[in-house]
């Protein structure tokens, strides 16, 4: 025993572990390369492939033309420009930075995996959201579990219901306008994204929890904890994998989760108690009424109770509902403010650099909302349906989202599942574990689907079938399509319309970018306000604002 102990030292054990890990690493790399080579030899599309480095050399060359902080979804569009014959469906082999990837970027191929057959979410996105929602959210759920809970939360995001909440959204947007007015008086440059973040957070807080968060005016502990959590969340395929290994990361997640839960759980309990008390009134109905809160949590709770008559026992709210509601509400706050905030920035930016489009928007608002901009808020609050009578405003919003979609989505394959390229009938294997990248940015900028694809042309959304600019069905995908499309798409469109209605006529907004003093590239396709991070404009869109001269 002593001889064995002397022979097998801790260092030799550690060395063996390291050696085995290195061997496993290279074996995995060999498997990934061989898989990609096999697909290439079968005639499937991909950029030029190196037997050792895969596509990393090609990707490095393409990425060198982009700013270092450019959003990853620029990559497929740049590959299309570099390799015009590549097409809208192809494989990428960038291991060890990401698993074998199938890029899908055409209406016909995207429909196959979002509508015709819904592929499950890629596991890394579930891991990314776990610190926020603990796996109990609509993004992470699949199958019948997802279907059930989507039904529970759907009523809170229906178009008809949200129209009743327009006055609340107008109220928060009026605060945003007051803040713009103060910036106009100081004439200082400010980051627009910070303002739109707070606006979108105030609106989503009111919609989902009936909360007056008021983070446009002051700090809020729920919002502070959520934003700290977002800073420490790490996606599995990001360029710096060591971020996930930071020793403080688990503690920070635990602390932020505790702070958010301490804020949200009493709100859920309070809503439940009010609903339980109201249920004792004769002729009570769990259907939403004018006298009862119309927040998402109230409607979700009512839908759940309708389906579970015995769920209000002596111990209070059912623990299953409470756990899912808690985590899903956190996700609503996260996703419901971040992407909308970025889109608000881009809509305002595109109006500022396209004066003819802005003039036409103003003319439409004069006609529908009245010639006095200061009365627009009260007009919309009293007559929310007027938002449905703004076709050019809607066109500006959709065109901004076409050029600057806030996000793409990822799926993973299934056994024996294939995606057919309609151009040649080739069936691309989409195997389990493979990353299927549904890239709306590339689809929405591809001239094969969009005439004059690089131009900002709101008129394309007003074109009739048969006209050059008529929008091809399924080509616009900022919210994705199919049963797993964004649940809050109607809310997002309403928010965007309200902001445009209240901001465009009273204010002149100008992006104020300083050009770099060195030769560092700070543009994508000539655009200074390119997308970074989670889809927001570079440098948070530095702006100045002036009060627009009347007439």
């Amino acid at each position: 025993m002593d001889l064995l102990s002397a022979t097998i030292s801790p260092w030799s054990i550690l060395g063996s572990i390291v050696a085995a890990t290195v061997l496993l690493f290279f074996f995995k790399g060999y498997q990934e390369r061989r898989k990609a080579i096999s697909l290439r030899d079968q005639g499937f599309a991909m950029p030029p492939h190196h037997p050792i480095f895969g596509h990393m050399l090609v990707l490095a060359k393409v990425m060198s033309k982009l700013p270092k902080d450019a959003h990853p979804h620029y990559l497929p569009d740049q590959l299309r420009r570099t390799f015009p014959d590549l097409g809208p469906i192809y494989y990428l082999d960038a291991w060890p930075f990401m698993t074998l990837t199938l890029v899908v970027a055409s209406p016909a191929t995207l429909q196959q995996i979002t509508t015709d057959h819904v592929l499950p979410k890629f596991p890394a996105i579930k891991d990314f959201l776990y610190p926020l929602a603990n796996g109990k959210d609509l993004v992470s759920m699949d199958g019948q579990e997802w279907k059930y809970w989507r039904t529970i939360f759907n009523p809170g995001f229906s178009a008809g219901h949200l129209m009743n909440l327009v006055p609340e959204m107008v109220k928060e947007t009026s605060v945003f306008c007051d803040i713009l007015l103060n910036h106009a008086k100081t004439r200082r440059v400010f980051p627009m994204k910070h303002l739109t973040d707070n606006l979108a957070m105030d609106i989503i807080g009111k919609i989902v929890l009936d909360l007056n968060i008021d983070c446009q005016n002051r700090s809020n502990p729920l919002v502070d904890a959520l934003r700290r959590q977002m800073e420490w969340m790490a996606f599995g395929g990001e360029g710096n994998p060591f971020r996930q290994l930071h020793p403080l990361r688990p503690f920070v997640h635990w602390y932020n989760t505790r702070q958010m839960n301490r804020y949200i759980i009493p709100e859920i309990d309070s809503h439940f108690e009010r609903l339980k008390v109201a249920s004792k009134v004769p002729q009570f109905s769990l259907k939403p009424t004018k006298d009862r809160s119309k927040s998402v949590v109230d409607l979700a709770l009512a839908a759940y109770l309708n389906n579970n008559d015995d769920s209000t026992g002596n111990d209070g709210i059912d623990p299953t509902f409470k756990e899912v509601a808690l985590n899903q509400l956190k996700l609503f706050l996260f996703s419901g403010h971040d992407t909308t905030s970025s889109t608000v920035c881009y809509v305002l930016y595109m109006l500022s650099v396209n004066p003819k489009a802005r003039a036409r928007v103003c003319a439409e608002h004069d006609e529908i909302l009245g010639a006095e901009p200061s009365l627009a808020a009260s007009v919309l609050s009293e007559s929310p349906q007027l938002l449905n009578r703004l076709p050019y405003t809607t066109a500006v919003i959709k065109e901004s989202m076409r050029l600057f979609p806030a996000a793409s989505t990822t799926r993973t394959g299934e056994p024996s599942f294939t995606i057919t390229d309609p151009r040649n009938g080739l069936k691309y294997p989409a195997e389990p574990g493979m990353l299927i990248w549904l890239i709306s940015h590339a689809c929405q900028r591809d001239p094969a689907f969009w005439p004059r694809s690089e131009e900002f042309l709101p008129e394309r959304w007003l074109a009739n079938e048969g006209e050059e600019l008529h929008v091809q069905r399924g080509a616009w995908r900022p919210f994705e399509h199919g049963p797993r499309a964004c649940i809050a798409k109607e809310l997002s469109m309403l928010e965007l319309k309200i902001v445009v209605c209240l901001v465009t006529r009273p204010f002149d907004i100008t992006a104020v970018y300083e050009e770099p003093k060195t030769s560092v590239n700070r543009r994508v396709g000539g655009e200074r306000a390119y997308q970074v991070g989670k889809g927001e404009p570079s440098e948070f869109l530095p702006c100045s604002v002036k009060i627009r001269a009347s007439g």
Side-chain angles (χ1 to χ4, degrees), residues 382-538:
E382 294 170 5
S383 305
Q385 70 278 3
L386 292 177
L387 292 168
N388 295 326
R389 296 176 54 193
L390 301 170
Y392 193 78
T393 299
T394 303
V396 165
I397 292 169
K398 287 187 172 182
E399 185 70 350
S400 301
M401 297 178 81
R402 179 185 73 83
L403 293 171
F404 301 99
S408 56
T409 186
T410 57
R411 304 290 172 90
T412 191
E414 293 178 338
S416 303
F417 185 78
T418 60
I419 303 171
T420 302
D421 186 344
R423 300 172 304 164
N424 52 29
L426 202 58
K427 296 182 181 298
Y428 284 70
E431 302 172 355
M434 188 180 289
L435 191 158
I436 316 297
W437 193 4
L438 292 68
I439 183 70
S440 56
H441 180 276
C443 178
Q444 293 176 180
R445 288 201 178 227
D446 194 329
F449 316 122
W450 299 88
R452 301 163 67 182
S453 61
E454 294 302 312
E455 298 181 49
F456 178 76
L457 295 172
E459 291 74 17
R460 72 174 78 245
W461 297 97
L462 307 177
N464 297 316
E465 189 171 358
E467 296 178 349
E468 178 197 6
L469 293 178
H470 179 69
V471 176
Q472 179 178 333
R473 182 180 179 182
W476 188 70
R477 316 185 68 90
F479 300 112
E480 257 315 322
H481 288 216
R484 298 204 68 152
C486 176
I487 193 174
K489 58 185 178 181
E490 298 291 346
L491 171 61
S492 179
M493 289 300 295
L494 279 178
E495 288 184 63
L496 292 163
K497 289 180 186 179
I498 291 169
V499 170
V500 175
C501 286
L502 298 192
V503 171
T504 305
R505 289 187 290 175
F507 300 104
D508 286 322
I509 296 172
T510 306
V512 185
Y513 280 103
E514 293 184 4
E515 290 302 321
K517 298 178 181 179
T518 65
S519 60
V520 175
N521 180 22
R522 300 296 293 170
R523 291 180 181 271
V524 177
E527 180 58 72
R528 187 67 177 83
Y530 60 90
Q531 291 180 277
V532 302
K534 296 186 290 295
E536 68 269 18
S538 63

Side-chain angles (χ1 to χ4, degrees), residues 182-257:
N182 289 334
H183 280 291
K185 293 177 180 178
T186 63
R187 299 183 180 182
R188 294 176 182 173
V189 175
F190 62 94
M192 179 64 76
K193 181 62 163 61
H194 292 176
L195 270 61
T196 59
D197 276 349
N198 291 335
L199 165 63
M201 183 64 79
D202 280 350
I203 290 177
I204 195 66
K206 189 67 179 179
I207 298 301
V208 302
L209 277 167
D210 195 27
L211 281 177
N212 295 313
I213 292 179
D214 196 27
C215 67
Q216 294 190 86
N217 289 315
R218 58 182 60 86
S219 176
N220 179 278
L222 171 61
V223 176
D224 293 344
L226 176 64
R227 289 175 174 168
R228 289 195 303 267
Q229 195 81 319
M230 290 166 58
E231 292 174 1
W232 282 80
M233 290 165 66
F235 189 69
E238 64 179 19
N240 180 14
F242 295 104
R243 183 180 178 187
Q244 300 180 76
L245 304 177
H246 196 294
L248 291 180
R249 189 167 175 258
F251 173 76
V252 172
H253 283 165
W254 171 83
Y255 177 77
N256 290 330
T257 298

Side-chain angles (χ1 to χ4, degrees), residues 252-301:
V252 172
H253 283 165
W254 171 83
Y255 177 77
N256 290 330
T257 298
R258 185 169 177 265
Q259 294 297 107
M260 288 186 285
N261 290 355
R262 288 176 61 183
Y263 198 105
I264 296 176
I265 288 175
E267 290 295 328
I268 296 175
D269 290 338
S270 175
H271 284 267
F272 170 75
E273 289 300 325
R274 288 200 297 267
L275 191 60
K276 188 168 68 172
V277 170
S279 67
K280 297 177 181 179
V281 177
Q283 308 300 322
F284 172 78
S285 172
L286 286 170
K287 295 181 180 180
T289 67
K290 294 182 179 180
D291 299 325
R292 212 166 55 238
S293 170
K294 303 179 183 70
S295 67
V296 170
V297 67
D298 279 297
L299 297 186
L301 184 54

